[in-house]
Amino acid sequence: MSTETMTNVPVHISMIMDGNGRWAKERGKERVYGHFEGVESVRACVEASLEYGVKYLSVFAFSEENWNRPEEEVVTLMGLMVKAMAAEMEALNKNGVRFMVLGNRDRLSDEINTEIDACMQMTADNEALTLIVFLSYSGKWDILQAAKKMALEMIRHPEKREELENMGVDGFDRFLVTAGIPDPDLIVRTSGESRISNYMLWQSAYSEFLFVDTLWPDFRKDEFRKALESYAKRDRRYGKVK
């Protein structure tokens, strides 16, 4: 299916990038080798998103739970992310891609946060595609920090008590780190695992899910197209009868 004939393209597609370690192990390499190759898959998905007209592409790069991995791997991953951001930003900016990082950034080093801020500022006005990297993120953490924000707002602004008590689901969205970003239409997890691993728990309430056996370093444009084709066949009811 070509870009001209692709129909029902998701506004927001999200990737749970899994299988880097296994991919490397199958080739007799250290786990970090798979992470390096996984950067190429992110690049391929960005290019495909631009070609097919996807407006938001998000990737689950590093969870809160990933901090429990061996220190050497964590250090290598963080270094890789800094280098990847610096290396890709000129091309992303040239192609109209807005870059964002969402997550518990308090746990990141000053060096990484400085690089993130510079990249986000450089691309802030771009509109062709928004690339969101979830870094040091978990769904439960996101909901908890949103609840804390809401509680603090009630304490600091008692005049808003009635407004907050009567607030609906849409109102709560503004306290999440994804405020202003549409919920994912399609979430793809690679490597054959069939779980969401504490990822966008609130935002994925009505997302379509696709679990594929492909390991993340092998997930390139052809696999991205197949994911879009699978989504195009879905009938999204949102709890209603059609």
Side-chain angles (χ1 to χ4, degrees), residues 78-117:
M78 290 300 166
L80 171 61
M81 289 174 192
V82 171
K83 291 178 182 178
M85 283 187 284
E88 297 294 327
M89 221 39 57
E90 183 177 349
L92 291 177
N93 197 35
K94 181 180 179 180
N95 286 286
V97 179
R98 178 173 60 147
F99 178 79
M100 298 180 68
V101 170
L102 299 179
N104 186 3
R105 290 182 55 187
D106 290 342
R107 299 191 68 172
L108 303 177
S109 69
D110 291 342
E111 177 190 10
I112 292 177
N113 276 318
T114 297
E115 187 67 36
I116 288 172
D117 289 338

Side-chain angles (χ1 to χ4, degrees), residues 136-149:
S136 188
Y137 175 87
S138 82
K140 289 184 177 181
W141 166 84
D142 194 4
I143 295 170
L144 178 61
Q145 66 84 34
K148 289 178 178 179
K149 285 181 182 177

Side-chain angles (χ1 to χ4, degrees), residues 8-19:
N8 194 25
V9 175
V11 173
H12 182 178
I13 182 169
S14 190
M15 303 290 178
I16 300 178
M17 307 181 293
D18 195 16

Side-chain angles (χ1 to χ4, degrees), residues 185-205:
D185 300 293
L186 175 65
I187 297 178
V188 180
R189 180 170 187 146
T190 58
S191 86
E193 302 293 344
S194 302
R195 60 182 181 276
I196 59 173
S197 296
N198 200 6
Y199 181 52
M200 282 204 281
L201 300 179
W202 178 279
Q203 299 88 337
S204 65

